[in-house]
Amino acid sequence: TLNTDYPWILNHDHSKQREIADWLTLEIKDFVAYISPSQEEIRVRNSTISKIRNAVKDLWPDADLHVFGSFATDLYLPGSDIDCVINSSSGDKENRNCLYSLASFLKRRKLATQVEVISKARVPIIKFVEPISQIHIDISFERVNGLEAARVIRGWLKETPGLRELVLIVKQFLAARRLNMVHTGGLGGFSIICLVYAFLQLHPRVISSDIDSMENLGILLIDFFELYGKNFGYDHVAISVTDSGARYLSKELYGSLQNPRTSFALAIQDPGDKDNNISRGSFNIRDIKKAFAGAFDLLTNRCFELDAATFKDRVGKSILGNVIKYRGKQR
Amino acid sequence: QCPHKWKRVKCVHCNSKNHSRDRCPSIWRSYYLLDSNVRRVLPVHKIFCYNCGGKGHFGDDCWEYRSSRVPNEDGSAFSGENLPQELK
Ligand SMILES: [Zn+2]
Ligand SMILES: [Zn+2]
């Protein structure tokens, strides 16, 4: 009865739970624990970053390297790239010569293989693989907005129970369907976090302090897919997130957030610039909405099916398995 | 052809005519509640509508025409019905 497709359920059987929603909550916690990095992985990642950081400082004494993105907020899936930024007091490192001299310096020190310098993009970067850890690393130059976003997200995570767990599940769900890459119209990491954060901040049971989100992750996940897959008015509603919480806005009153080509678009107001829509790149919102609705149907159908099954037939079953389709390495 | 076609099934759990008892949302829509000894106040300033973006009501209870083309027959989590009993 061991199902190796869903490794997080091994030795974690919850089939005897009376409420299906409680079973799902426990399975979400198991999955999150399963994909979270081990102490050894954290150690390897930190030592890799500090080696590169030291090299950068040797090359440019006025510069420093910081991680941002999912690694800075602990919201990454196994095998994700690490996003870093180099900032310097002279502020002159974002030019082609600097990019190439850093690339060859890292190669000489045997800290980088498979190096790509992308100097002509809107955000110039160096991509490479650190040869010992095999970690993929992206370095960008002279920007602070990524660091600022990571600071805001860490604040949200601290004060919003359940945010981390739901974000990781939704990320894995979208990654399995290739709907998580902005350059193909998918949802980027920051947009996913904003959707989940706004969902939790506006949920009737959460705002009335009626539930502990951590004990209700199962029903909250279903409610999330229901909201953004079936009900949310993408044509008329924009999402606003600030330090003091989340709210909806009528797009008619905030025309600058409206996509000029189609009204059916996700709009998330940039906390730092009220006229900027941070999710304007996610043009494939139609497929994303459909995928969320499909997740709602899959999950609720599975609940009906397992609710009707005998306890004997439930043993070793997964509720989440077909929804998140995790095909990662064994841990 | 179906001899039972005329018969409207009512869900025995919630009396809805939209689904049968084995597909009742109450099977999965259950919250594990905190102790209700605390007196609660309704945070009206945190209530927003997923349908029109307006303040003070939930999307299920919006009086504007429905923006999403997916039907919402059984009601969702974002409804005044989903507030704790004493706050409805
Ligand atoms: Zn029912
Ligand atoms: Zn409304």
Side-chain angles (χ1 to χ4, degrees):
Chain A
T1 57
L2 295 185
N3 193 335
T4 46
D5 276 351
Y6 317 126
W8 60 91
I9 71 170
L10 296 181
N11 307 318
H12 298 274
D13 186 69
H14 307 298
S15 60
K16 292 198 176 61
Q17 285 296 319
R18 226 163 41 82
E19 293 288 341
I20 288 281
D22 292 339
W23 177 354
L24 182 53
T25 294
L26 293 166
E27 200 182 329
I28 290 171
K29 290 182 180 177
D30 291 340
F31 179 77
V32 169
Y34 178 79
I35 59 150
S36 293
S38 66
Q39 290 306 313
E40 175 60 10
E41 287 166 298
I42 293 170
R43 196 192 57 74
V44 168
R45 185 235 311 182
N46 289 345
S47 78
T48 303
I49 291 299
S50 64
K51 274 189 293 185
I52 293 162
R53 192 167 183 217
N54 290 337
V56 167
K57 285 177 163 176
D58 286 348
L59 179 64
W60 297 319
D62 76 324
D64 202 356
L65 176 126
H66 296 282
V67 291
F68 67 100
S70 59
F71 266 85
T73 51
D74 205 21
L75 289 170
Y76 56 96
L77 300 173
S80 305
D81 300 356
I82 303 185
D83 296 309
C84 303
V85 60
I86 290 175
N87 289 315
S88 67
S89 48
S90 53
D92 61 354
K93 300 298 183 282
E94 192 185 67
N95 72 58
R96 293 184 61 176
N97 292 338
C98 287
L99 265 65
Y100 283 105
S101 58
L102 177 64
S104 52
F105 187 75
L106 292 176
K107 264 191 272 189
R108 260 200 322 266
R109 289 222 172 166
K110 302 213 172 357
L111 289 171
T113 56
Q114 305 173 45
V115 184
E116 269 179 274
V117 178
I118 304 166
S119 64
K120 286 187 182 136
R122 191 174 59 82
V123 178
I125 57 170
I126 302 178
K127 294 175 90 69
F128 61 94
V129 177
E130 196 278 329
I132 295 170
S133 64
Q134 287 294 310
I135 296 175
H136 292 244
I137 298 177
D138 285 5
I139 298 184
S140 57
F141 298 83
E142 310 291 7
R143 351 201 121 237
V144 289
N145 47 3
L147 300 176
E148 174 59 16
R151 191 190 61 77
V152 170
I153 294 164
R154 280 196 296 265
W156 292 350
L157 287 167
K158 211 184 289 172
E159 70 194 31
T160 318
L163 179 58
R164 173 165 187 267
E165 289 72 17
L166 293 178
V167 166
L168 287 169
I169 299 279
V170 173
K171 264 195 167 179
Q172 169 56 36
F173 170 81
L174 290 170
R177 286 154 184 81
R178 303 194 160 277
L179 290 169
N180 64 330
M181 286 163 295
V182 180
H183 66 272
T184 52
L187 272 185
F190 190 45
S191 295
I192 294 173
I193 294 164
C194 290
L195 285 188
V196 179
Y197 180 66
F199 161 79
L200 285 171
Q201 286 277 314
L202 300 173
H203 192 286
R205 295 278 174 179
V206 178
I207 60 176
S208 53
S209 314
D210 201 30
I211 61 169
D212 173 353
S213 299
M214 283 302 286
E215 302 310 317
N216 287 275
L217 294 170
I219 178 61
L220 289 172
L221 181 66
I222 295 176
D223 288 346
F224 173 90
F225 286 134
E226 181 182 51
L227 174 64
Y228 294 115
K230 307 241 168 184
N231 296 325
F232 189 78
Y234 291 93
D235 292 283
H236 304 286
V237 185
I239 295 166
S240 151
V241 286
T242 63
D243 287 343
S244 53
R247 53 172 299 176
Y248 292 146
L249 306 169
S250 160
K251 279 188 182 178
E252 278 82 62
L253 302 175
Y254 289 81
S256 52
L257 299 176
Q258 191 70 263
N259 183 321
R261 273 169 302 168
T262 171
S263 65
F264 190 79
L266 179 62
I268 301 172
Q269 190 180 44
D270 185 340
D273 173 2
K274 67 178 178 49
D275 292 323
N276 184 37
N277 173 10
I278 59 170
S279 60
R280 67 185 177 284
S282 303
F283 55 81
N284 197 8
I285 197 66
R286 223 165 271 281
D287 285 347
I288 294 165
K289 180 187 177 184
K290 237 183 262 166
F292 285 162
F296 173 84
D297 293 339
L298 270 175
L299 278 176
T300 53
N301 285 333
R302 188 72 172 149
C303 288
F304 293 139
E305 189 188 324
L306 290 172
D307 187 66
T310 63
F311 282 115
K312 189 166 148 275
D313 284 337
R314 290 184 182 191
V315 175
K317 294 275 157 54
S318 163
I319 309 180
L320 214 45
N322 291 329
V323 177
I324 54 178
K325 294 187 186 176
Y326 180 75
R327 293 288 179 273
K329 59 173 180 180
Q330 294 287 325
R331 279 162 178 261
Chain B
Q1 313 106 311
C2 174
H4 301 293
K5 205 176 172 185
W6 52 271
K7 198 172 138 199
R8 274 227 149 199
V9 197
K10 235 189 200 180
C11 172
V12 295
H13 295 302
C14 70
N15 278 328
S16 163
K17 288 176 188 162
N18 295 322
H19 56 256
S20 55
R21 59 175 294 179
D22 55 333
R23 300 194 58 86
C24 180
S26 69
I27 288 171
W28 47 265
R29 200 186 294 288
S30 81
Y31 297 89
Y32 183 79
L33 302 180
L34 292 169
D35 271 339
S36 54
N37 294 329
V38 204
R39 235 184 73 80
R40 297 189 173 83
V41 272
L42 185 62
V44 188
H45 64 287
K46 290 185 183 171
I47 296 178
F48 288 90
C49 170
Y50 66 65
N51 189 54
C52 72
K55 259 193 243 184
H57 64 277
F58 292 109
D60 277 16
D61 313 324
C62 187
W63 51 86
E64 300 275 335
Y65 76 91
R66 185 169 163 81
S67 174
S68 172
R69 291 195 204 161
V70 186
N72 176 26
E73 282 156 359
D74 284 319
S76 83
F78 289 83
S79 156
E81 285 296 305
N82 198 21
L83 284 168
Q85 203 59 45
E86 73 262 32
L87 297 182
K88 272 182 194 169

